[in-house]
Amino acid sequence: MYQWSGAEEEKINAIFKPFVDACGVKIVAESTRDAGVLDTRVKSTPPDILFWPTTAPLTLYPDKLKDLSTVGADTANYAQYWLDLGTASGKLYALPAKVDIKSIIWYSPARFSALGYTVPTTFEELNTLVEKMAADGNVPWSMGFASDAATGWTGSDFIQDLMLTQQGPQYVLDLISGNVAYNDAGVMTAYETYQKWAADPKYTVGGSDGTLNTPFLDAIYKVFQENPEAMMVKQSGFAGGEIVKQFPNLKYGTDYDFFAFPGIKGMQGGADYMMAFSDSAAAKALVAYLTGAEGAKAWAQSGFDLSPNKLALGQYTDPQLIKKSEALDKATGFTPDLGDTIPAPFGEAEWKAIIQVVQGGDIQAALDSVAEAQTQALGK
Amino acid sequence: MNPFRSLNRIFRAIPVNLALILMCAMWIIPTLGLFVSSFRDKESVRTSGWWTVLSPRAVVGQTEYSTYCASCHGPNGNALPNVDLSDPAVVAQYTRDYQLLAMLNQPVNGESHLKDPTLPSNPNESLAILGNVLNYMQSLSTSANRGLGLTLSNYADALVGYKGTNTYLDDCATSGAEASIKFKCNASDLLNPEGMGAALINSILVTVPSTLLVIAIAAFAAYAFAWLDFRGRQWMFALLVGLQIVPLQMTLVPISRIYAQIGMQNTFIGIWLFHTGFGLPYAIYLLRNFIGSLPREIFESAYLDGANHWRAFRNLALPLAMPAIASLGIFQFLWVWNDFLVAKIFLSAHPVLTVQITNLIDPRGSNWHILTGAAFLSFIIPMIVFFAFQKYFVRGMLAGSVKG
Amino acid sequence: MATMPAIMKQGKWTPWLYLLPALLIMAVFIVFPTLNTIVLSFMDRTSTQSAAADCVAGQPCWGAFENYRYALTDPEMTQALSNNALWLILMVPATVAAGLLFALLAERVRYEKLAKSIIFMPMAISFIGAGVIWQFMYKIETGEGPQTGLLNAIIVGLGGKPVAFMSTYPLNNFMLMIVGIWLWAGFCMTILSAALKGLPGEVIEAAQVDGANGWQTFWKVMVPLIMPTIVVVTTTMIINVLKIFDIVFVMTGGNYGTEVIANRMFKLIVTDTGRSMAIAVILIALMIPIMISNIRRFNKQEEER
C-alpha cells in the first residue's frame, strides 16, 4: 500500500519489475493519500508493506508494525540517521524508500563564469560570494512568498537550511519536538542572516517588499529570464522543471543548474518511508530487495527521485539526480520540512515572525512570540 | 417644485458632470481592467499593464546596437550576408546575454570581434550592454510586434481548469489528447471537475433550488403572519426581525457536524437547506410586509364568495405578491450565487464558481491570466440577472431596509 | 399587527401548517446551531471537555472561559478586533457618505440611470471576484519590470516609488476598505436616493423662503428628514462590516496586520473549534445592540400602521 499515483505509480512499478520477474511474487498494490483510509485498513486487514510520507504510523500502530531488521532489511546500506528516524522504542519500524531534497540553490553556470563567480562549497564561501555580488551591483538572491493567502513556506525553508548549516540536523529536530525553544540563540543567528538577505534590496530583488509580494514562480524566473534581476534562487527540485517550461531554450548544466546549500550538515526534504505489517516470505523478499543492491540500482535508474540506500549512489542516470545523490551522501542528517511538520498554531506564529523579520522588525521579539506558541502547541 | 433645484447653489461651484463622470470612471475602471486582461495572453498579462494593450511594445537597445554593431552589420542587421542578424535562425542561437559575450570574445579572422569601440572590461557592464543589444537583435529578426497579444485562451483554460504552463488550446492543437492524462481535447473537458465549466453547473444546481425553496416556504409563512391568527404571532415576528442578522458563522460548525454524522456533507440537498434556512428570516419578512399590505377588502370579498385560506393564498396572495416574489428571488439568487463561505465548507467536493476561483489560484505561484477569465465567467450570469431585473432588485432592497 | 380580517374562519391548526416548514428549518439551521455554538465555545479544541483543559500550566487561564481569554487577549485577536473597529469608524461613514454623494449628484444629470447602474454593478458580483479585480489594481512589481498594477503604474508614472499595497501596514487596511466602499456604495446610494426622491418639495421650498441657502437647506432640512434612512443604511453597513470576511480572505489572507474577526474564526474552525466558536459568539454579541434596535424600530412601525 502506498500513496503514489499516476506517473509516480508507473515509476514504482518499473522499480518492482525486476523483483517480480525474479521471485514470482505478485504485488497487489493499493494507492491512497488519505490517512483515514489507511487507518481503516490497518485496523481491519493491514497491508503487508506500507509506504507512507511520514513516520506517523510509528506512533499510531507500534504494536502492529514489524521490526524491519527481522523482515530482511539490510540496515548496513543506510546511514545511521535514517535508522534513528525510523526507530521507536528500540525497534526499527521504518526505513526511507524515496527521498527528495530541498536544500538546493539554483543558478546559471554560464552567467557565473561570465562574471567570474564560482560555486561556493562552504557557508563562508557563500557569504563571501553574496557580498561580492552585492559589491558588484548584482543582486544575489531572488526570493518570493507570493502575497495572497501565503504560508511563507519559501521563507521557512530558507531559514531551516540556514539552521541546518549553522546548527545541524539534530537542532532542527529538537525545534520540531520542542526540546529547543524557538527563541534560542541558534534560531536567532539564522534569522539574523535571513533578515540581512531578505529585507535589503542590495541582497534580494525588491528588498522586503519584493520578498513578500513576488509570487515564488516569478522569483525563479527572475534569475533565468533574459534580463536577470538576481543571481541565485533557493528552491526545491521542482524549480528545474519550471525553468525549462518557462524558458524552453535553456539547457541544464550550462544555462541553469543547482548546487547543494553550501556547508549544510543535514538535508531538508521529503521522504517516503517503508514499513511492514507482516513478516511473510513475500514481504521479507520485497524488503530485502529494496534495501539490497538490486533494488537500489532499479530505484536509481527509474528516475524516481533518490533512494537513500547507499548502494544507489553511482547508479543514477539522470544528471540532476546524480548531483542530488552526491549531496545527500555528504549529509549527516535529514529533517522533514519544519513548516509542514509543526502544529498549525506554531506554524502560524512562525510565519508571522518571518513576515515581521522580513519587514525589518525586531528579531528577538518576533521569536519570543513563536516560542510562546511553540510551548502552547507542544506543551513543553 | 423639484426639491433638488434648491441644491443647485451648493453644487454650482462643482462641475457636477465632471465629478460624476470621474466617480463613475473610478468605479468602472477596476472591472474594465480585469475585462481587458481576460483577453490578453499569459505573457502580456505577466509583463505589461492592461492599459498598454493598444500601444506598441517599446524596443530597447537601439543605442547600444548602433554603437557596437551597426558599423559592420548595418542598421537593419543584414549588411553581412553570411551573418544576417535579421535572420531568425541566426538570432535564435543567442537567447541570453552571456552567449553573446562568449561569441564576441572569440576572434574573427584573427582579430577581436569588436574593435571600435570594444566592450568595457568589467563583465558586468558588458552583460548589461549586450542584454540590450540582444533585445534589439531579436526585434530585428521578428516582425517587431507580435500583434496585440489578444486571445480567448484564458477563458478556455479557465473553463476546463487547465493548470499547465502552456495553454489548453495550444496543448491540444500541437500534441492532441495523448499529451495529457487529464484532457481529451473534446467537449467532455468542459466537465473536468477542476474547471469553471463544471463549477458553473454546480453553481446553477446550488442556486436555483435554494432560491425556489426559500420562496415557497417563505410564502406560506408570510401569509400566516399576515392574515392568520395564532398565539405568539407578534413576538415570533419580532424574533424573525432579530434572526435576520445572525451571522452565518454562528452555525457553521454545529451544522457541519450534523451533516458529517448523517452523511449530508458535500451533498446538494445539504447546501440547499442551509441556504434556505438563512434566507428565510429576510424572505418571510419581505413577503409578509407585501402580502400584509394588500387591501383587506379583496380577502373579505373572496371569503364571502366561499373561498377558504388555501384558495385565498393560492389565487389571491400569491399572484398579487409576484413583484415582491420577483424581488426576493433576485436577491436570494445573487446572494447564493456569490456566496463563498457556505459552499467552501459544505460543498467543497463539488466546487461552485467562487470556490473554484480560489482553487485555480495556483498555490505554487502566479497564473493571473486564468483568474481573469475565471472571474469573468463567474460574473456572466449574475450580471445578466442583475441588469435584466434591476428594477426588482432595487425594489426588494428598499422594501427590506427602509420599511424595516 | 393591525391587519387581521377577523371574519375569515380558520382551523385550529391552519396557521401552524403554513408556518411549520419555515419554523422547522429556521429552528434546525439557525436557532439550534446558535445555541450549540455557544456551548461549544466553552469546550476545548476537541469539543469533548471543558475549555479549561486547553490551559497550559504557567500560562494565564480563564477556566471555562479559556477560549474567551484567547478571543479577547491573543495578539492576533486584538489586532482583528481593532481592525474591525477601524473598518467601523472609517469605512462605514465613508461608504454612506459616498452613497449620499452619488445619490445627490446622479439626481442632477440626464444619464442618472446609467450612472447609477455603474455604481451599483459591484453588488452583482461576488466578493471573491471583487478580490481578483482589485488584486489587479494593487499589484506591485518590485524588480525591474514594468508595473502591471494600475495604481503602481500611475505612481511610478508620476515619478514615485511603487508601493506594496497589500503588505504595508497599516496602509493595506485602508486599501481593503476601498474595496469594501467600492462594493457597497451602490447599496447606500440606491436606498438614500429613494429617500431623497420621497422628500416633500414644500418643506424645502419653505426653508428657502425663510432665506436658507443651499448648504443650510441640505444640512438643516434634508439630512434630518432622511435621517431614519441614514440610520437604517448605517446599521446595515455595520452588520456587513462586522461580518467582513471574503475580501480579506482573498486579498491578504489576514496577513500583514489585516486580520479581521470573521477571518480569524474561519482559520481556526477546524484546528481549534472552541476558540473559533468563542469568536463567533463575540461576533454575535457585537450585533445584539443592532438586533434590539431593529426590533424596536420594527415594533414602532407596526404601531404606526
Side-chain angles (χ1 to χ4, degrees), chain B residues 1 3-4 6-11 16-17 19-21 23-24 27-31 34 37 45-51 217 220-221 223-231 233-234 236-238 240-243 245-247 249-255 257-259 273-274 277-278 280-281 284-285 288-289 292-293 296 300 303 309-310 312-313 334 338 340-341 344-345 354 357-358 368 372 375 379 382-383 386-387 390 393-394 397-398 401-404, chain C residues 1-5 7-10 15-16 18-19 21-23 25-26 28-30 32-34 36-37 40 47 101-102 104-109 111 115 117-126 128-129 132-137 139 146-150 153 181-182 185 187 190-191 194 196 201 204-205 208 212-215 218 222 232 239 243 245-246 249-250 262 265-266 269 273 277 280-281 283-284 287 290-291 294-295 297-299 301-302 305:
Chain B
M1 175 196 162
F4 294 99
S6 60
L7 281 176
N8 281 358
R9 253 176 278 164
I10 306 175
F11 292 110
V16 173
N17 283 299
L20 193 64
I21 289 170
M23 287 174 102
C24 286
W27 245 250
I28 202 153
I29 279 175
T31 321
L34 189 78
S37 299
V45 170
R46 203 175 79 82
T47 57
S48 64
W50 56 270
W51 56 92
I217 294 175
F220 278 102
Y223 181 81
F225 276 117
W227 297 107
L228 293 174
D229 188 19
F230 55 92
R231 278 182 61 189
R233 197 170 77 131
Q234 183 82 36
M236 272 168 70
F237 199 71
L240 204 72
V241 174
L243 283 187
I245 62 167
V246 173
Q249 279 92 342
M250 284 299 281
T251 68
L252 292 173
V253 168
I255 297 291
R257 290 196 174 165
I258 296 176
Y259 278 8
L273 290 173
F274 190 92
F278 262 84
L280 275 177
I284 298 173
Y285 177 76
R288 199 254 16 172
N289 282 355
S293 65
R296 160 203 289 252
E300 284 175 352
Y303 179 72
H309 275 293
W310 169 239
F313 171 68
L334 288 177
N338 288 331
F340 166 76
L341 187 54
K344 171 93 185 159
I345 288 185
T354 46
I357 291 177
T358 58
W368 287 103
T372 58
F379 296 166
M383 287 281 187
F386 174 75
F387 282 112
Q390 196 176 355
F393 186 63
V394 170
M397 220 166 66
L398 294 176
S401 308
V402 177
K403 290 182 191 147
Chain C
M1 297 205 177
T3 52
M4 180 58 43
I7 60 159
M8 257 171 119
K9 254 197 268 167
Q10 61 179 56
W16 302 107
Y18 280 73
L19 285 168
L23 294 184
I25 288 185
M26 285 192 290
V28 173
F29 285 89
I30 307 181
F32 157 73
T34 301
N36 192 204
T37 290
L40 288 176
S47 302
L101 184 61
F102 281 134
L104 287 168
L105 286 177
E107 291 301 337
R108 301 159 42 80
V109 296
Y111 47 92
S117 294
I118 288 173
I119 308 298
F120 200 47
M121 186 195 61
M123 293 284 294
I125 63 182
S126 58
I128 299 291
V132 175
I133 287 179
W134 280 89
Q135 271 176 324
F136 262 77
M137 293 290 287
K139 264 165 89 168
Q147 296 297 330
T148 56
L150 181 61
I181 296 173
W182 182 78
F187 163 79
T190 310
I191 291 177
L196 285 173
I204 288 151
E205 234 170 296
Q208 274 159 12
N213 64 23
W215 193 243
F218 174 70
M222 293 175 85
V232 170
I239 295 171
K243 292 197 281 194
F245 160 71
D246 313 46
F249 177 81
V250 267
M265 189 231 133
F266 179 75
I269 204 163
T273 311
M277 295 300 94
V281 173
L283 194 60
I284 201 171
M287 292 187 183
I290 297 169
M291 208 184 276
N294 273 2
I295 294 176
R297 193 170 53 237
F298 163 77
N299 284 338
Q301 271 172 8
E302 287 299 309
R305 268 173 101 133

